[in-house]
Amino acid sequence: MFVFVVVLMLALFCPVDAGDAQRYRTIGTMTKSVTVKNLDACSQKLVFEVKACKHAGVMIKTKRAKEAVFFIIENEGKPESVLTTRSARGGMKTSTYKKGLLNCKSYKTFWINWAMPGVVSAGIGSHVGQNEILRTLHQIKDPLVAVSLFTGMRKKGEWKLSKDEPPVFLTPWPGDVTQIDVPEDTALGTIIFSVEAKDPDDNVTYDVVGVNKATFGMNGSGLALIKELDYETERLHGVLIRAMGGKLDTNASVLVSVTNVLDEPPLIQLSPTQTIPEELPLGETVPGLYTVTQKDMGRGLKYHLEGVHSKYFAINTLSGELMMTDRLDYENSSSPRVLDSLTLQVEDDAGHKARANLSLRLVNLDDNAPRFDEIVYKVKLQEPHDTGKPLARIRCEDRDLEDNANLTVIMKPTEFSDKLVIRRTDTAFELDIKDKEKGIDQLGEGFTVTLEATDSDTSRSNTATALVEIEVSSVNDNTPQWVWPAAGTSAPGVPELKIPETYPPFTTITTFNATLGVGSNPGDIVYTIESVMSDMRKAAYGKFTIDQRQGYLKAITILDYDKPTGGVNFYIISVKATNRKAPNRYSVRKIKLFLTDADDNAPVFSEGFYRINTGCSKKAEEQLLLTFNVTDYDVTSFLTLTMTPNTSNYTRLDTSRRALILKRVLNGTADRQVTFEVMKVTACDLRNPHLNTSVYVMVYYTDCSTSSRRRRMRKKGVMRIPKPPRSCEVNEYVKDQTVEDYIFKATSGILGLILVCIAAFYLSKRTVFKSSPSVNPLEEVQDEPEEETKEKKEYEEEDRPSVIFVGPKRDEKPRSKQAPDMTFINQ
């Protein structure tokens, strides 16, 4: 459709209306031009209302050209809206919208916006930027001169223009989608986004409209959170912000994307049926016991199983898959029937944990086939047969419990099956003769019957079979004849056997074997021990046992060969073989069982603890302090001695002589700090290094630089020390020692204080001073004349080393292997 448009630049007549709205009318081709002075020269948008029937248009005029034309055409059946823009150089671009927009009876509001760089757009409504319907890519640069309004030929149009323009959003930009990310744990009241809008006429205020106004609100120009966010519930929120300036407003939207924060623990849901079947194969997965969900998506979970019953399962720490690792048997008393000590723990990457207690009931299955206690039953019948007893008692059991334990035993058809019957008792099945009056004569010399046991579950092939071999024979009342040990002229004397004394108990030593002749069975003979005598002619019944059916001879205690420990060299064992069916028929045979020596005793010291006083001697060579008396009660032994520590500067261990040697005496200030040393001496059996014994040796060192002074004091009348009490075993006593020496030795034990008191009382009764009243025996003594050399030699001979053995003497019998009792020192 062609429309004639005549643009006339006329002076505008603007009637005065209430408010800032200005009304204009256009008729036919008449065009109204609104000059810049009646508009906002800085404005880059136009909001207008028009009431027209078919055609209406708006033209934006600049200094040099018609920059933009928004023209609405309403032809019957073919509505169309056109936005045409033209640059100063003559280039044109057009955008169309094919929907009806005009109304003859009411005003319709539209807007044109050229504020966005390089874009001219038009839309419906008073909110610039919303409901956009047309857009071209042109930029209006020249200054705005006027805006022309026009309608179609011979058509009337009424227009409303307002100088009060709505606010324009700068942030967020109305034509774009602005998205912000907000964590779900953001605190209430936090400003999550700042908005900005400009209105040249009025102040701008903001509020939130729409469905999310309960979650978000405005705090000045800031978008604030007023309700908690939840990533798991709603992840996107479209927030519509309204900017109000004067009577007009503009809307802009912000898309709030909620980001996930790991703040929700996992959720464990147990299945209603907490059961598990018995006898699941090891490694098989156990499904359906629980499910784990999490509200915080995308997190990794770690699974862990705790409790006493967790040993039956292995759990995949990443997937939570439960697998069997141990057997669960309903019929086994060691297997629990309710696994209630079982706790499942699930932890996410953020450390949130969830726990659930499992209580699994073990389901009893009919999984065990019947079982006979023997595969082949051998039944021997002898005439005359006691008809009051069954031919055979057959034990058959089904290990399944409760309702799964029912079983039936039948006899497969044979030529004798019609003569036999199977009866069930409380403890077994009995195979017997139907017609007892005929006895066992009707069975001939023997036959074989096949028994089949079936349980109650016919869906499973749980069956078992057994054979019953019945043999009918006469009574064998022969006397047992020895096969081993052989008897008679072919094997005179008593057979001899040798075993080491360390032979393990309950291990077969030998097998006694006797026979009743042709047709006899091993079970026809009963073996018993008649007597056991040692080489000391003492009875030793509790040392051995014999299997009554098989004749296996075994020791039931540890045997000992060593005499010092109560051992013996050999045993004479008499075994009796008895005919089970004829108890008065028996035979006795002996064997002589020798024991051989084994290295099984630890070395034993004669004393438990040694204390040595070195004394003083003028001899330059080494001195013997102590010879160790060590005994090994084994017949053959190889002993060696070691000393710890072995770095002493004064003593050493002579392993060849088993002696402690003094290398040199203490003399001078260099050895003043040394008073005593304690060494551990260990005796080890080289044949068995694990057998060893240790004792402690305490060596007191005498400072020989002051020994001459003590000898002179003794000569002047210093007391002599009496012999120690009888409770101490003393080989060589300490002679001519001072009171100080005695007190030092007495106070070295735990009960030193008591010994000091006893010593003081003892000395008050026995001490004699060899001095005149004018001479103080404790004062410094002058050197003696040369004629006293003979007496000095006597004292020098008395300064030899002395040894005191502290503790009880070792008895001839060895004690149990234990560490020395240190309390012996104080006895």
Side-chain angles (χ1 to χ4, degrees):
M1 176 182 178
F2 181 78
V3 179
F4 294 97
V5 179
V6 180
V7 181
L8 302 176
M9 300 299 296
L10 300 175
L12 179 64
F13 175 77
C14 182
V16 179
D17 293 334
D20 294 330
Q22 303 180 33
R23 296 176 180 268
Y24 305 92
R25 289 183 180 180
T26 56
I27 301 175
T29 58
M30 181 180 179
T31 300
K32 297 293 185 182
S33 178
V34 183
T35 59
V36 173
K37 66 178 181 180
N38 292 320
L39 297 172
D40 187 356
C42 298
S43 177
Q44 294 180 296
K45 59 185 178 298
L46 176 65
V47 179
F48 61 93
E49 296 180 55
V50 61
K51 182 168 64 173
C53 292
K54 289 191 175 181
H55 309 299
V58 175
M59 181 184 298
I60 299 173
K61 299 178 182 181
T62 63
K63 210 169 189 182
R64 292 184 288 178
K66 302 172 184 177
E67 294 287 351
V69 177
F70 176 32
F71 190 49
I72 304 172
I73 304 170
E74 291 289 343
N75 287 332
E76 295 181 0
K78 294 182 179 180
E80 185 177 36
S81 300
V82 180
L83 175 62
T84 302
T85 57
R86 178 172 52 193
S87 65
R89 296 180 181 179
M92 297 180 62
K93 292 186 178 181
T94 301
S95 176
T96 59
Y97 179 75
K98 296 183 179 297
K99 281 189 178 181
L101 300 175
L102 298 178
N103 194 309
C104 298
K105 296 180 180 181
S106 61
Y107 285 93
K108 294 294 183 182
T109 305
F110 302 93
W111 56 264
I112 301 176
N113 182 26
W114 57 94
M116 186 181 297
V119 175
V120 179
S121 58
I124 305 171
S126 61
H127 299 290
V128 178
Q130 296 183 11
N131 297 325
E132 180 181 310
I133 58 174
L134 299 169
R135 171 179 287 205
T136 61
L137 300 178
H138 263 146
Q139 184 169 357
I140 299 178
K141 297 181 178 179
D142 293 335
L144 183 63
V145 175
V147 174
S148 297
L149 310 175
F150 56 90
T151 54
M153 187 175 293
R154 298 179 184 178
K155 301 298 180 182
K156 294 180 180 181
E158 295 183 10
W159 304 77
K160 290 181 182 180
L161 276 73
S162 176
K163 292 182 64 177
D164 184 14
E165 299 180 357
V168 177
F169 273 98
L170 301 180
T171 305
W173 189 256
D176 294 337
V177 177
T178 302
Q179 179 175 330
I180 59 174
D181 295 332
V182 180
E184 63 175 328
D185 60 347
T186 301
L188 298 181
T190 303
I191 302 298
I192 61 176
F193 185 72
S194 296
V195 299
E196 182 182 1
K198 290 185 177 181
D199 189 335
D201 302 313
D202 302 288
N203 293 329
V204 180
T205 59
Y206 307 93
D207 66 348
V208 176
V209 295
V211 295
N212 287 312
K213 63 181 180 180
T215 305
F216 303 93
M218 296 303 299
N219 185 358
S221 62
L223 181 62
L225 182 66
I226 61 176
K227 182 181 178 182
E228 292 182 350
L229 302 176
D230 188 6
Y231 175 85
E232 290 74 29
T233 304
E234 189 172 0
R235 302 181 187 180
L236 292 176
H237 297 269
V239 182
L240 188 61
I241 303 174
R242 180 172 60 186
M244 296 172 291
K247 297 181 179 180
L248 300 179
D249 60 76
T250 304
N251 294 339
S253 61
V254 175
L255 183 61
V256 178
S257 175
V258 182
T259 59
N260 188 23
V261 177
L262 304 182
D263 59 348
E264 295 288 344
L267 178 62
I268 302 175
Q269 294 180 335
L270 302 179
S271 62
T273 305
Q274 294 283 293
T275 59
I276 180 173
E278 65 169 327
E279 297 292 358
L280 280 179
L282 302 186
E284 184 168 328
T285 302
V286 184
L289 297 180
Y290 53 84
T291 57
V292 179
T293 57
Q294 55 177 336
K295 292 185 178 180
D296 292 328
M297 304 302 295
R299 293 181 300 170
L301 298 178
K302 293 182 180 179
Y303 296 81
H304 181 64
L305 208 58
E306 299 175 351
V308 176
H309 296 147
S310 62
K311 66 178 182 178
Y312 295 98
F313 306 96
I315 191 167
N316 189 314
T317 58
L318 298 180
S319 66
E321 188 177 64
L322 206 62
M323 293 180 294
M324 297 297 302
T325 58
D326 201 353
R327 182 188 178 203
L328 286 173
D329 186 5
Y330 191 89
E331 291 74 30
N332 192 342
S333 59
S334 63
S335 292
R337 297 185 181 178
V338 177
L339 290 82
D340 51 3
S341 179
L342 199 61
T343 302
L344 174 66
Q345 176 178 296
V346 184
E347 181 179 0
D348 61 17
D349 294 338
H352 300 114
K353 297 180 181 179
R355 297 171 64 90
N357 295 323
L358 304 180
S359 181
L360 307 181
R361 182 176 60 85
L362 194 62
V363 178
N364 183 22
L365 301 178
D366 192 0
D367 57 336
N368 292 292
R371 184 175 60 182
F372 291 96
D373 60 346
E374 299 286 345
I375 299 177
V376 178
Y377 294 88
K378 296 182 178 295
V379 179
K380 289 188 177 182
L381 302 178
Q382 294 180 347
E383 298 178 352
H385 175 67
D386 186 1
T387 57
K389 297 181 179 180
L391 299 181
R393 295 179 62 85
I394 310 298
R395 294 187 61 85
C396 182
E397 64 175 357
D398 188 345
R399 294 186 64 248
D400 291 317
L401 300 178
E402 300 171 357
D403 296 337
N404 298 325
N406 297 325
L407 58 87
T408 303
V409 176
I410 62 174
M411 179 172 51
K412 292 188 175 182
T414 62
E415 60 177 315
F416 295 100
S417 59
D418 58 340
K419 302 177 182 179
L420 303 175
V421 65
I422 294 179
R423 291 188 294 267
R424 182 170 185 172
T425 65
D426 294 337
T427 59
F429 293 88
E430 294 181 350
L431 181 64
D432 205 354
I433 306 172
K434 285 184 179 180
D435 189 355
K436 290 184 174 292
E437 294 182 358
K438 294 183 179 180
I440 62 174
D441 294 338
Q442 58 182 321
L443 303 179
E445 294 182 357
F447 58 91
T448 300
V449 176
T450 301
L451 302 180
E452 182 178 78
T454 306
D455 64 10
S456 59
D457 189 355
T458 57
S459 62
R460 295 172 176 261
S461 58
N462 291 337
T463 60
T465 58
L467 298 178
V468 181
E469 296 180 355
I470 298 178
E471 179 182 349
V472 181
S473 61
S474 58
V475 176
N476 187 342
D477 57 355
N478 297 329
T479 300
Q481 301 296 318
W482 287 101
V483 178
W484 198 97
T489 57
S490 60
V494 178
E496 298 179 354
L497 295 178
K498 291 183 179 181
I499 61 172
E501 62 175 324
T502 57
Y503 199 81
F506 299 101
T507 304
T508 301
I509 300 173
T510 187
T511 302
F512 284 82
N513 186 13
T515 181
L516 294 177
V518 180
S520 64
N521 296 315
D524 296 339
I525 298 177
V526 178
Y527 300 92
T528 56
I529 294 179
E530 188 77 2
S531 65
V532 179
M533 298 294 292
S534 69
D535 58 350
M536 304 300 294
R537 296 187 178 275
K538 293 182 179 180
Y541 288 104
K543 296 287 185 180
F544 302 92
T545 184
I546 192 169
D547 188 290
Q548 293 187 355
R549 291 174 59 90
Q550 305 296 332
Y552 301 141
L553 180 67
K554 302 177 183 179
I556 59 177
T557 62
I558 298 176
L559 305 178
D560 189 10
Y561 173 83
D562 305 305
K563 290 291 185 179
T565 59
V568 300
N569 297 130
F570 64 85
Y571 294 95
I572 297 177
I573 305 173
S574 299
V575 176
K576 179 180 179 181
T578 304
N579 189 332
R580 184 187 298 273
K581 299 174 183 178
N584 59 337
R585 302 289 185 177
Y586 61 88
S587 177
V588 178
R589 190 73 173 117
K590 298 180 179 180
I591 64 168
K592 195 172 187 180
L593 182 63
F594 284 89
L595 303 181
T596 59
D597 184 38
D599 195 355
D600 59 344
N601 290 296
V604 179
F605 285 88
S606 61
E607 303 296 333
F609 185 78
Y610 296 88
R611 292 178 62 183
I612 305 173
N613 193 320
T614 60
C616 291
S617 175
K618 292 185 178 181
K619 296 180 181 181
E621 65 274 7
E622 296 179 341
Q623 301 181 51
L624 176 65
L625 293 180
L626 172 65
T627 300
F628 295 98
N629 184 9
V630 187
T631 305
D632 190 337
Y633 294 102
D634 292 318
V635 176
T636 58
S637 62
F638 301 93
L639 300 181
T640 182
L641 298 184
T642 59
M643 185 173 69
T644 305
N646 59 357
T647 58
S648 175
N649 294 326
Y650 311 103
T651 57
R652 68 178 180 86
L653 180 66
D654 189 339
T655 58
S656 60
R657 292 188 293 172
R658 300 180 183 174
L660 186 66
I661 305 298
L662 178 67
K663 295 192 289 187
R664 67 180 182 86
V665 298
L666 274 68
N667 194 0
T669 60
D671 300 326
R672 184 172 297 173
Q673 303 298 327
V674 181
T675 304
F676 66 91
E677 286 183 332
V678 178
M679 285 77 73
K680 183 174 75 172
V681 178
T682 302
C684 181
D685 192 338
L686 294 179
R687 293 178 57 189
N688 191 348
H690 298 288
L691 299 176
N692 59 76
T693 306
S694 299
V695 295
Y696 289 88
V697 180
M698 179 177 288
V699 180
Y700 289 91
Y701 297 103
T702 303
D703 188 357
C704 296
S705 61
T706 60
S707 61
S708 60
R709 177 172 175 266
R710 292 199 303 272
R711 288 195 298 271
R712 287 195 302 272
M713 292 177 65
R714 289 196 298 270
K715 184 177 179 181
K716 290 293 185 179
V718 177
M719 67 187 74
R720 294 179 180 270
I721 304 301
K723 293 183 180 181
R726 294 181 180 180
S727 60
C728 297
E729 294 292 343
V730 181
N731 291 355
E732 294 185 26
Y733 301 107
V734 182
K735 299 179 180 180
D736 294 330
Q737 299 194 22
T738 64
V739 177
E740 293 88 343
D741 294 334
Y742 186 85
I743 293 175
F744 174 76
K745 295 179 181 297
T747 57
S748 61
I750 299 176
L751 303 179
L753 182 61
I754 299 175
L755 294 181
V756 169
C757 297
I758 296 174
F761 177 81
Y762 192 88
L763 293 177
S764 66
K765 299 295 184 180
R766 298 291 301 273
T767 304
V768 178
F769 291 88
K770 299 179 181 180
S771 62
S772 62
S774 60
V775 179
N776 188 349
L778 300 179
E779 293 180 353
E780 182 67 28
V781 181
Q782 302 295 325
D783 294 337
E784 297 296 328
E786 294 295 331
E787 54 268 11
E788 295 180 0
T789 304
K790 183 177 180 180
E791 295 180 0
K792 290 182 179 180
K793 289 183 180 180
E794 294 177 359
Y795 290 123
E796 290 176 356
E797 292 176 358
E798 293 176 356
D799 281 335
R800 64 182 181 274
S802 60
V803 180
I804 299 178
F805 301 115
V806 180
K809 291 280 263 182
R810 299 288 187 183
D811 298 330
E812 290 300 327
K813 292 185 180 181
R815 296 182 177 181
S816 61
K817 304 172 181 61
Q818 61 181 4
D821 189 351
M822 300 303 293
T823 58
F824 293 159
I825 296 175
N826 301 318
Q827 292 182 356

